[in-house]
Amino acid sequence: MKVMVTVKRVVDYNVKVRIATDGSDVDIANVKMSMNPFDEIAVEEAVRLKEQGKVTEIIAVTCGTAASQDVLRTAFAMGADRGILVTSQALLQPLGVAKILQALVVREAPQLVLMGKQAIDDDCNQTGQMLAGLLNWPQATFASKVDLQPDHALVTREVDGGLQTIAVQLPAIVTADLRLNEPRYVTLPNIMKAKKKDIESIEAESLGVDLAPRLQQLKVAEPAGRAAGVKLASVDELIEKLKNEAKVI
């Protein structure tokens, strides 16, 4: 069974992001970048399925500039077999990425596509669902457990009311949630081996998909700071403030 795993290069989750002076976007100059944490969980799950003998090949895919090769190298060090970099200088939005992945799925014919449920930079949580719609494949989002069978997968999902287990026929799209697994520590020997692996590079325009942006980002701003708390003398005073100042009751 062939599995495709998508990985995205984002600002490292330990970095406190700064807004550009013109308010157009986040300033990523000289900022540490790494693999999106949810994508790292997806790669780990694919590797574990391979170790169980249920998967024969893992293909890691990323979209972006040449700098995005580093997340593919990380995927190699974790256990991925092949890597595909779809290069584009344009700002790729979820629908555009989904169309790129659709073209690659048609070419590679994987039985399962594993993705992080969302990227921590834009928090869109859309690409997996859009890809499933474009391919007309079953999807299981927010997965906290995956039991892979020859023709279907049992996926436990995290929902508002608790946990939900569903069966999806393969081929299918599964997006990983935080509690699916804990990614392994990447060892130095595996990092060195990963540097020697070849990465297939494809220009996004060659795939013949429409990557025109559908959304326009107008402004990026810091969230408003929290006001200082106040001490109140009585419950009556609290109710009065909630009613007349906060207007929540």
Side-chain angles (χ1 to χ4, degrees):
M1 181 181 294
K2 185 188 296 186
V3 172
M4 180 179 289
V5 186
T6 62
V7 293
K8 184 178 183 181
R9 186 174 188 258
V10 300
V11 175
D12 189 88
Y13 67 93
N14 288 312
V15 173
K16 178 175 173 54
V17 296
R18 303 183 305 273
I19 306 299
T21 54
D22 60 359
S24 61
D25 208 338
V26 172
D27 183 6
I28 60 171
N30 303 314
V31 171
K32 180 183 178 184
M33 308 292 282
S34 62
M35 184 189 297
N36 178 48
F38 290 105
D39 296 342
E40 194 174 4
I41 292 169
V43 174
E44 173 65 25
E45 190 65 19
V47 174
R48 292 187 184 190
L49 291 171
K50 185 178 179 182
E51 291 172 345
Q52 295 169 14
K54 297 180 178 181
V55 168
T56 55
E57 185 181 26
I58 301 170
I59 307 167
V61 177
T62 193
C63 305
T65 63
S68 296
Q69 290 187 36
D70 59 356
V71 293
L72 291 178
R73 301 289 179 195
T74 302
F76 287 154
M78 292 178 69
D81 300 298
R82 287 198 287 131
I84 300 175
L85 169 63
V86 181
T87 59
S88 175
Q89 299 299 323
L91 178 63
L92 296 174
Q93 296 180 352
L95 181 58
V97 175
K99 289 178 178 179
I100 289 172
L101 295 175
Q102 178 192 20
L104 293 179
V105 166
V106 170
R107 191 188 77 165
E108 296 290 340
Q111 285 72 52
L112 179 67
V113 177
L114 277 169
M115 312 174 68
K117 71 170 185 177
Q118 65 195 79
I120 64 171
D121 53 0
D122 55 23
D123 270 337
C124 282
N125 182 17
Q126 296 174 348
T127 306
Q129 293 89 327
M130 288 177 170
L131 178 59
L134 291 170
L135 291 169
N136 196 26
W137 280 14
Q139 61 176 308
T141 55
F142 312 115
S144 61
K145 182 180 179 181
V146 177
D147 181 10
L148 191 60
Q149 302 298 324
D151 63 344
H152 70 280
L154 293 174
V155 181
T156 301
R157 305 178 61 242
E158 296 193 354
V159 296
D160 291 342
L163 299 176
Q164 176 192 58
T165 301
I166 62 173
V168 289
Q169 292 296 120
L170 299 179
I173 311 292
V174 175
T175 68
D177 210 333
L178 187 65
R179 280 158 288 277
L180 179 58
N181 60 55
E182 184 174 345
R184 68 194 62 198
Y185 177 77
V186 179
T187 63
L188 182 59
N190 286 340
I191 293 174
M192 300 308 293
K193 291 177 183 177
K195 291 182 178 181
K196 299 177 181 178
K197 285 196 172 185
D198 293 330
I199 293 175
E200 181 182 359
S201 182
I202 303 172
E203 290 187 4
E205 292 73 15
S206 69
L207 296 174
V209 297
D210 179 14
L211 302 178
R214 265 63 177 182
L215 305 173
Q216 181 183 2
Q217 184 167 285
L218 301 179
K219 183 180 179 182
V220 178
E222 292 275 2
R226 293 185 62 180
V230 295
K231 283 187 176 182
L232 303 177
S234 66
V235 173
D236 291 338
E237 188 179 356
L238 171 62
I239 293 173
E240 189 274 332
K241 286 186 176 293
L242 290 175
K243 184 177 181 180
N244 298 320
E245 292 185 17
K247 299 186 183 302
V248 294
I249 60 173

